[in-house]
Amino acid sequence: MENKKNQRRDFLKKAGLGLATIASVSAFSSPLPTNEEKKRLAMIVDLQKCTGCGACTLVCKNENNVQDGVFWANKICKTEGKFPNVRYDYIPTLCNHCDKAPCVKVCPTQAMHKDENGITMHDTEKCVGCRYCMVACPYQVISYNGEKPHKRWRSEEKLMVGTASPKELNEKVGGDTIPYYNPERAETYPGIRPKNVVEKCTFCDHLVKKGEKPRCVQRCPSKARTFGDLDNPNDKVVSLLGKHSPFRLKENLGTEPKVFYIRNFNPGKYPR
Amino acid sequence: MENSNRRNFIKRATLGSVGVATSAMILPKLKAFSQMTKNSLPVDSEWKSTTCQGCTSWCSQQVNVINGRAVRVRGNASSKVNMGEGCVRSHISLQQVYDPDRIKVPMKRTNPKKGRNEDPQFVPITWDEALDTIADKIMELRDNQETHKYMLMRGRYTYMRDLIYDRMTKIIGSPNNISHSAICAEAEKFGPYFTEGEWAYRQYDIKNAKYVLIWGADPLSANRQVAYYSAFWGDSLDHMQVAVVDPRLSITATKASEWLPVKPGEDGALASAIAHVLLTKGLWYKPFVGDFAENSAINRFEAGKEILEEKPGDVFQEIHTHGLIKWWNLELKDKTVEWAAEKTGLSAEQITRVAENFGKAAPQAISWVGGGPVMQARGGYASMACHVLNALTGAVDNEGGALKANKEYTISFPSPNDYIDAIAKAGKKHKKIDHRGRKEWPVLSKGKSGGGVITNNAAEGIINEDPNEIKVAIAYFNNFAFSCPQSERWERALSKIPFLVHCTTNGSEFTQFSDIVLPCSHHMYEKWGYVKSYANGYRHVTLLQPSIEPFWDVKIEETEIPWLLAEKLEKRGFSNLLDYYKSIKDPETNKAPETDKEFALFSLKYATQTLWDPNQYKGGDKFSGWDEFSKVGVWNSDPYPFRKRWGKMKTKTKKFEFFSETLKASLEAHAEKHHTDVDDILETCNYQARGEKAFVPHYEEPLMKGTKEEFPLVHVDFKSRFNREGRSANCTWYHELKDLDPGDNANEDVARLNPIDAKKYNIKDGDRIKLVSPVGEIECNAKIWEGNRPGTISKCYGQGHWAYGKVASEEFGKKPRGGNNNVIIPAEYDRLSGATAFYGTTRVKVVKI
């Protein structure tokens, strides 16, 4: 076990170096995490603040150029009770970046791995598309590209004479497959993932490396998300976890998820 | 053990895919590599300020432009209204501006036949040809002295609207500028106007509130200030209770302490009962309303008992209000909780609990009036009944209460009077096509008979050529053939107009009936303009600015298009419009505009000069000049002056009017105009009140089309948190996230039934069904859902497009994707405000297909 950890660390060091190189040539200047500053990054979702709007899901798709039908950030929602005592519940989900990530454990090529900040990262070059990780993940947050992504945007068919085909539009505006393509995503990971590999949330590692928060944290309209370092006693995530009684999804599986939930989505004060 | 089990499972599960995986082993590597090298790092990235008009929150936003492309959206942190936040729908705008189905070039119709099933056979033309054709048509009207047969239809707008909507229509010479306002929420303004003299929406101070009672509004999803309320809702729940009155479980209802699933159309009954409780339990806010006179023999409100005063003030001494005792006697004394429970389908226990907790929280107790109870036939009185609770709790103009808009200082465009010639003057004298002001259409906007618009009734005017035919019409940023109830009437009306021009981004339903199509800029990314909105105790004026270069041949509909048209008219010997436009000069250089682009920018600088010019400074944020204002993108007002209007309201009595002398005067003036009395007007307009009851907030029964026997369910329309008004349906994000509207499904359009009704009508989850109303039918899928009040069927507005684009429609121009609620909602109105009824109006039956 200890041995394994060391191996991973060595690997991470190497991987980290590569990433640091990429980040340093970025147009954005911001503090880079050095090896001395290893973090255990985590996210807290305050369900009382959450309004179940799905902005996390949408901005994630936007930030990471995720194709239709695939969600790196998703949700579990259900309606419970009988009229008129009905409640609707909502839990936003994403990769839990588990300390003991089953997806990393089962990956035969180490494509799925932990980075220096505890982010469960994925390497599309190593990925063979076996989908062991998808089966191993208890949270269903890994997706597989069965076909080349963004099929719709490669279509040359147009609606009518005075309109463009998706392909024509993309070429006209200089996008990359999609016209609102975000090139920043490609700083640490393929901007659009190829066919026959898996993909999932990376805690927006490309932003984190520049000292920014993941996009879902930045743009949550109800400011429900807090992102930080569990190993830093001064970090807000630590104080929030201390203040509330957090829970995590499927804690009994021992995966040690690093996405925590606090408070209740429903404030109802009577049975519902 | 568990681990090995899982491993075995994995083995089995992946066996099937091994073949795929091995053959794909090499390929993906190469592809991954090519993606990595192909993508260059961003070199040119900046955030540009603009405004989102996805709903009428009008949040100040910023667009991240990378290498000339819009990539990300965020709230503008400089706004004190949306405080750097933006809601989920703001991001969908990226799929709108980059919608491949946007119209690239002007087009003309080549199929002379118009109708629902006629392919217009559009062909591309130049802007010159398009504008020449339009100018010829307008000149023909002017030559024949029939400029009143010209019409301008406006949907969504910025405040540059007056240049095309008002000034251009007047200078051409027509009374017929018809806005969309009455399909928005005019009835919401009716209650506040006739009680406190404010024809406007309110802002609600949730940061300081203790109780919020919400009527048919869903502020965490839709209209207004979704970003602001979403940002502070969670923390506010620590100090405020929330009760939501809505027949369906909205997201706000689930994020509330209480859900009151009222029977559609019975909101007014609940409002009167809550007022009854506040009075009988002594919970009204005495520093605002007043109290019983010390020497009065009567010192409390007793159910069923009239209170007789010899002269006002004998028994009850009001402070900042007027007519409490009259209101009690005319409406409230018998409106007990038990009576309301029967009407509303809610438990007496819940009504009492909500009313008492609401009253105990005074004055930080808000009654929040949304479109639900008021955009109904007779909704004006529900608007009063719900809004007036703010006075009983003293929440009006108070901390933690219901506030008006802050003051702002934008400048109106110059008067067009000097440019209106004799032909135009004669044309303008004709009556309007929507019939406002007729006996059956009081439309008392700002108290004036015929003072507002009746958007949806303009279709009748056009069809019946009443008061005259419409020969030439221009429309922009609208889609009445989709957005107006009983939309089939608009299909007939538009088919009848011989020459119709549509300024639009997408080929919508409305476009299908047009002769000329003019491709327009996307408001958030390609347009100059400004809008105003308010929340958080502030008002902001936020700019719409081009952040990207338009990639198609599009123009701004409120400025560039009218300018170009004015140039064409000038070439035909009619220069008045261009002369007028040239009078609006750049305040910085005093230069008159010479091109459409200059006009777009100069007119915006003109209208906002007092905000950015330090020499013209009047209040709020201060800027060094236009450049700084443009960069920041938003001006904020001074903070809200609480309680300044107490005793100084813009009503007849200067007080908050429980007995509305203001409404009495308006109704009497309208009656007098038609040589009759108020009771006759009320009868003509389908209201139940007679006598003095017409002047107090009161309950009126809902007016629904169809019999209960034939159409057993009541239709509940609602708006999606993803609706960018009706314009999201061609975005794939809209469909794949649609299940984030509680009860809805992704990639479907569903009508939701309670399991009780599903059993009764033998409908199963997922069944393909038809909703049939007395005026139309639509197809969608059935969803069995507990969040629906039994006896109702709720369905979201937004889908059911048969045009608009490939994603929005099943088959463009022919078959809708899902069902448009407006096909089944009858054209019905709150005639006192002109508002179109959307809610509590439609009975339907469900037919399995």
Side-chain angles (χ1 to χ4, degrees):
Chain A
M1 188 65 195
E2 188 54 34
N3 196 16
K4 237 183 183 176
K5 232 183 194 172
N6 281 338
Q7 273 176 11
R8 200 169 70 213
R9 249 181 225 162
D10 284 339
F11 172 72
L12 289 177
K13 263 186 200 162
K14 282 193 281 250
L17 271 177
L19 292 169
T21 320
I22 292 171
S24 63
V25 296
S26 139
F28 298 79
S29 60
S30 48
L32 294 170
T34 64
N35 275 351
E36 294 80 56
E37 286 174 351
K38 272 184 195 168
K39 289 174 180 160
R40 206 151 65 89
L41 294 173
M43 190 184 293
I44 301 175
V45 182
D46 182 339
L47 294 173
Q48 182 171 315
K49 287 187 175 181
C50 175
T51 67
C53 74
C56 44
T57 305
L58 206 161
V59 296
C60 169
K61 296 191 73 129
N62 174 208
E63 181 67 28
N64 297 296
N65 307 312
V66 179
Q67 67 268 38
D68 288 348
V70 172
F71 304 94
W72 290 11
N74 214 330
K75 80 280 180 184
I76 302 163
C77 47
K78 57 183 176 204
T79 308
E80 286 177 311
K82 273 207 164 330
F83 180 90
N85 297 322
V86 192
R87 57 186 279 160
Y88 170 82
D89 255 312
Y90 182 95
I91 298 177
T93 59
L94 63 158
C95 172
N96 281 288
H97 298 278
C98 308
D99 272 347
K100 295 176 182 167
C103 59
V104 171
K105 217 180 273 178
V106 301
C107 179
T109 63
Q110 290 173 303
M112 203 67 89
H113 59 274
K114 300 296 285 185
D115 86 349
E116 72 276 21
N117 293 323
I119 295 177
T120 304
M121 270 306 296
H122 176 246
D123 184 339
T124 48
E125 288 190 63
K126 287 184 180 167
C127 181
V128 293
C130 69
R131 289 173 271 179
Y132 282 19
C133 53
M134 289 174 70
V135 182
C137 172
Y139 305 107
Q140 291 159 333
V141 291
I142 309 175
S143 305
Y144 176 72
N145 295 339
E147 57 178 34
K148 201 173 167 189
H150 297 297
K151 186 177 171 192
R152 171 185 173 234
W153 284 106
R154 282 178 278 109
S155 163
E156 293 184 50
E157 201 182 306
K158 58 181 168 184
L159 181 73
M160 58 173 159
V161 284
T163 64
S165 74
K167 189 163 184 254
E168 179 192 349
L169 169 66
N170 180 59
E171 281 166 5
K172 177 88 180 172
V173 304
D176 186 335
T177 311
I178 50 176
Y180 43 85
Y181 173 82
N182 172 22
E184 268 190 77
R185 173 63 275 187
E187 288 166 13
T188 64
Y189 193 52
I192 292 171
R193 279 63 55 193
K195 186 176 165 180
N196 292 337
V197 299
V198 298
E199 58 178 72
K200 65 159 198 70
C201 158
T202 69
F203 260 174
C204 282
D205 63 303
H206 61 297
L207 298 179
V208 170
K209 285 193 171 60
K210 293 185 244 185
E212 290 182 48
K213 307 275 187 202
R215 183 90 186 285
C216 61
V217 177
Q218 289 187 36
R219 294 273 55 86
C220 171
S222 46
K223 299 187 269 196
R225 293 179 176 219
T226 310
F227 184 75
D229 180 9
L230 289 175
D231 285 347
N232 178 357
N234 299 320
D235 198 303
K236 202 179 167 198
V237 287
V238 176
S239 56
L240 266 183
L241 291 177
K243 188 174 165 193
H244 299 279
S245 313
F247 72 91
R248 294 175 291 177
L249 296 176
K250 299 184 181 174
E251 276 181 90
N252 59 325
L253 298 181
T255 55
E256 295 295 330
K258 293 214 298 303
V259 175
F260 298 81
Y261 300 90
I262 57 171
R263 303 205 283 181
N264 295 316
F265 190 75
N266 275 275
K269 305 260 192 313
Y270 64 107
R272 53 189 289 197
Chain B
M1 178 67 196
E2 208 192 322
N3 222 354
S4 73
N5 267 345
R6 202 169 64 214
R7 256 184 216 154
N8 285 338
F9 173 69
I10 291 169
K11 268 186 199 160
R12 278 196 300 271
T14 48
L15 267 178
S17 59
V18 167
V20 181
T22 46
S23 66
M25 262 174 161
I26 304 163
L27 254 182
K29 278 189 190 173
L30 293 173
K31 281 185 183 160
F33 183 70
S34 72
Q35 287 277 2
M36 282 293 265
T37 50
K38 190 174 155 197
N39 299 313
S40 56
L41 296 171
V43 288
D44 179 16
S45 170
E46 64 175 318
W47 289 92
K48 293 184 174 176
S49 300
T50 186
T51 302
C52 175
Q53 290 195 291
C55 73
T56 44
S57 296
W58 295 345
C59 293
S60 191
Q61 297 281 306
Q62 292 185 317
V63 176
N64 187 198
V65 181
I66 302 181
N67 296 333
R69 282 182 306 111
V71 172
R72 299 182 178 103
V73 169
R74 71 179 182 196
N76 186 347
S78 297
S79 165
K80 289 179 182 167
V81 169
N82 59 291
M83 308 281 284
E85 303 301 331
C87 77
V88 62
R89 64 167 66 67
S90 63
H91 305 282
I92 295 180
S93 63
L94 285 167
Q95 283 197 335
Q96 283 188 318
V97 66
Y98 293 126
D99 181 347
D101 299 338
R102 278 183 69 182
I103 295 169
K104 301 196 295 186
V105 287
M107 300 195 292
K108 72 175 177 192
R109 183 185 200 91
T110 58
N111 176 6
K113 278 197 219 146
K114 292 182 183 178
R116 173 72 159 79
N117 296 311
E118 293 293 340
D119 179 350
Q121 294 171 9
F122 288 125
V123 295
I125 52 171
T126 62
W127 274 97
D128 262 338
E129 184 185 341
L131 293 160
D132 279 331
T133 314
I134 301 166
D136 284 341
K137 294 286 178 186
I138 291 171
M139 289 311 292
E140 209 177 297
L141 294 182
R142 287 191 51 87
D143 293 344
N144 296 329
Q145 317 239 342
E146 48 181 20
T147 54
H148 56 289
K149 296 178 181 173
Y150 167 81
M151 178 180 185
L152 190 284
M153 284 172 263
R154 182 197 89 198
R156 180 49 57 215
Y157 58 89
T158 78
Y159 288 95
M160 308 308 283
R161 67 188 183 191
D162 286 344
L163 297 170
I164 180 170
Y165 173 73
D166 182 87
R167 306 302 195 260
M168 185 167 100
T169 315
K170 282 179 176 157
I171 291 170
I172 289 172
S174 172
N176 288 316
N177 50 353
I178 298 296
S179 84
H180 78 148
S181 296
I183 58 165
C184 188
E186 285 303 277
E188 247 186 84
K189 302 170 182 169
F190 187 88
Y193 183 82
F194 287 108
T195 52
E196 55 171 300
E198 293 293 333
W199 189 269
Y201 304 111
R202 285 131 329 272
Q203 51 175 327
Y204 299 105
D205 183 13
I206 62 163
K207 278 184 181 169
N208 297 303
K210 288 185 186 157
Y211 204 105
V212 180
L213 172 59
I214 299 184
W215 304 89
D218 188 9
L220 297 180
S221 284
N223 254 354
R224 298 191 149 68
Q225 310 317 335
V226 179
Y228 166 72
Y229 293 123
S230 297
F232 295 99
W233 199 262
D235 281 342
S236 294
L237 288 173
D238 287 337
H239 56 73
M240 73 181 184
Q241 289 187 66
V242 183
V244 175
V245 185
D246 200 321
R248 52 124 200 164
L249 185 72
S250 65
I251 192 68
T252 311
T254 208
K255 295 288 293 180
S257 340
E258 303 252 5
W259 174 38
L260 297 107
V262 69
K263 279 187 196 166
E266 303 291 348
D267 312 74
L270 180 60
S272 281
I274 289 174
H276 179 97
V277 173
L278 295 181
L279 293 183
T280 52
K281 302 245 162 120
L283 291 170
W284 72 90
Y285 186 64
K286 285 149 192 106
F288 185 73
V289 180
D291 206 347
F292 286 98
E294 264 183 45
N295 52 0
S296 164
I298 305 167
N299 61 2
R300 63 194 175 105
F301 292 96
E302 267 186 276
K305 282 197 182 161
E306 199 168 334
I307 293 174
L308 296 172
E309 280 190 314
E310 273 187 27
K311 58 178 198 297
D314 278 357
V315 176
F316 196 98
Q317 293 175 337
E318 290 182 82
I319 301 174
H320 298 299
T321 62
H322 170 82
L324 180 68
I325 299 300
K326 270 189 171 174
W327 181 34
W328 167 261
N329 290 339
L330 286 163
E331 166 67 6
L332 297 181
K333 66 179 168 49
D334 301 319
K335 297 297 188 286
T336 61
V337 166
E338 291 69 29
W339 169 83
E342 182 74 31
K343 287 277 178 195
T344 59
L346 303 169
S347 73
E349 187 196 355
Q350 189 181 30
I351 298 173
T352 308
R353 179 175 65 229
V354 168
E356 287 184 6
N357 289 340
F358 176 64
K360 283 174 195 162
Q364 287 100 8
I366 295 169
S367 178
W368 181 319
V369 189
V374 306
M375 294 301 281
Q376 303 192 1
R378 303 171 176 165
Y381 284 116
S383 182
M384 290 177 83
C386 299
H387 178 69
V388 77
L389 298 176
N390 287 309
L392 286 183
T393 61
V396 174
D397 219 31
N398 208 347
E399 276 115 341
L403 317 176
K404 63 172 279 219
N406 306 55
K407 204 167 163 42
E408 54 85 19
Y409 308 99
T410 52
I411 303 165
S412 299
F413 293 113
S415 159
N417 288 348
D418 293 347
Y419 303 86
I420 297 173
D421 64 9
I423 295 174
K425 229 172 242 167
K428 255 162 49 62
K429 279 197 185 125
H430 288 261
K431 296 282 180 201
K432 293 195 187 237
I433 197 77
D434 64 350
H435 306 167
R436 69 185 72 173
R438 290 187 185 179
K439 183 182 173 187
E440 68 277 23
W441 296 110
V443 196
L444 304 173
S445 179
K446 295 179 185 165
K448 195 178 150 224
S449 166
V453 65
I454 322 157
T455 314
N456 203 14
N457 200 49
E460 305 294 333
I462 296 167
I463 292 167
N464 301 319
E465 302 185 10
D466 176 13
N468 53 256
E469 65 182 318
I470 295 296
K471 283 187 168 174
V472 176
I474 300 178
Y476 81 89
F477 216 161
N478 75 328
N479 189 8
F480 294 163
F482 183 82
S483 59
C484 283
Q486 218 173 322
S487 47
E488 168 275 332
R489 296 152 53 259
W490 278 97
E491 294 174 6
R492 280 186 286 135
L494 298 178
S495 300
K496 204 173 152 73
I497 299 175
F499 186 75
L500 177 65
V501 180
H502 198 209
C503 310
T504 185
T505 55
N506 286 59
S508 71
E509 286 74 8
F510 195 102
T511 315
Q512 293 290 97
F513 299 90
S514 306
D515 297 272
I516 300 270
V517 187
L518 299 179
C520 289
S521 49
H522 186 280
H523 69 269
M524 188 164 160
Y525 299 88
E526 301 168 329
K527 182 174 178 174
W528 289 112
Y530 78 93
V531 289
K532 325 173 238 189
S533 66
Y534 40 100
N536 196 32
Y538 288 93
R539 188 177 214 175
H540 71 198
V541 176
T542 168
L543 296 175
L544 294 88
Q545 307 189 80
S547 52
I548 54 172
E549 280 294 318
F551 37 92
W552 304 133
D553 198 4
V554 298
K555 304 258 181 234
I556 302 172
E557 65 282 66
E558 290 175 322
T559 48
E560 292 177 350
I561 290 176
W563 170 277
L564 293 168
L565 188 56
E567 284 184 340
K568 295 291 187 190
L569 292 172
E570 189 220 15
K571 286 208 179 100
R572 284 158 178 76
F574 177 55
S575 69
N576 294 25
L577 186 59
L578 191 65
D579 293 343
Y580 170 76
Y581 287 161
K582 281 185 175 169
S583 75
I584 301 170
K585 295 175 183 162
D586 181 351
E588 283 186 306
T589 60
N590 205 33
K591 181 179 175 294
E594 284 169 24
T595 65
D596 55 332
K597 292 206 162 19
E598 281 187 349
F599 179 57
L601 180 59
F602 293 178
S603 51
L604 175 60
K605 286 166 81 175
Y606 176 95
T608 56
Q609 188 184 357
T610 35
L611 309 183
W612 55 262
D613 185 343
N615 300 320
Q616 307 266 331
Y617 180 76
K618 289 189 169 170
D621 289 356
K622 200 168 183 178
F623 296 95
S624 58
W626 168 258
D627 287 346
E628 191 195 3
F629 179 44
S630 159
K631 194 161 190 301
V632 174
V634 62
W635 169 92
N636 298 290
S637 71
D638 291 315
Y640 196 82
F642 292 105
R643 292 178 299 280
K644 282 282 178 339
R645 291 187 301 121
W646 286 18
K648 283 181 255 171
M649 300 205 168
K650 290 180 195 155
T651 54
K652 289 271 166 216
T653 59
K654 308 267 188 280
K655 310 264 182 167
F656 188 102
E657 294 180 344
F658 294 125
F659 183 92
S660 180
E661 305 287 355
T662 310
L663 179 55
K664 186 171 184 238
S666 288
L667 275 171
E668 282 174 352
H670 181 74
E672 202 173 308
K673 183 165 125 187
H674 296 286
H675 314 291
T676 184
D677 58 22
V678 172
D679 279 358
D680 181 33
I681 297 295
L682 292 167
E683 193 176 345
T684 308
C685 298
N686 292 326
Y687 293 90
Q688 294 177 307
R690 297 292 180 269
E692 287 201 308
K693 197 166 184 175
F695 313 133
V696 296
H698 67 269
Y699 166 70
E700 298 242 339
E701 287 171 342
L703 187 69
M704 296 197 200
K705 271 264 157 73
T707 62
K708 201 173 176 179
E709 291 66 39
E710 196 186 349
F711 302 99
L713 296 166
V714 179
H715 172 248
V716 175
D717 172 273
F718 68 95
K719 311 297 187 253
S720 169
R721 65 196 332 166
F722 301 105
N723 276 11
R724 296 184 58 82
E725 302 198 309
R727 305 179 188 92
S728 293
N730 209 44
C731 304
T732 55
W733 285 337
Y734 179 82
H735 296 279
E736 62 173 352
L737 298 179
K738 194 69 183 63
D739 55 345
L740 288 156
D741 287 316
D744 270 10
N745 291 351
N747 300 308
E748 278 187 71
D749 196 17
V750 297
R752 300 98 59 93
L753 293 106
N754 188 280
I756 294 168
D757 293 317
K759 200 174 163 199
K760 203 192 276 182
Y761 305 110
N762 193 26
I763 304 288
K764 282 188 274 309
D765 199 69
D767 276 353
R768 191 75 186 156
I769 52 170
K770 248 192 326 197
L771 301 192
V772 184
S773 85
V775 300
E777 56 181 62
I778 53 174
E779 281 183 27
C780 60
N781 295 342
K783 172 79 181 276
I784 314 305
W785 194 50
E786 283 287 358
N788 225 53
R789 183 178 179 88
T792 68
I793 185 156
S794 62
K795 192 182 161 300
C796 189
Y797 167 70
Q799 299 192 57
H801 280 281
W802 54 271
Y804 217 79
K806 277 200 288 283
V807 180
S809 59
E810 183 100 20
E811 196 183 341
F812 182 79
K814 295 193 174 96
K815 200 173 171 220
R817 174 177 180 174
N820 175 11
N821 285 351
N822 287 324
V823 172
I824 57 170
I825 300 175
E828 193 47 78
Y829 306 85
D830 171 47
R831 287 164 185 258
L832 289 184
S833 66
T836 275
F838 286 101
Y839 315 107
T841 301
T842 315
R843 289 196 157 279
V844 293
K845 65 179 169 193
V846 183
V847 182
K848 204 178 343 188
I849 302 173

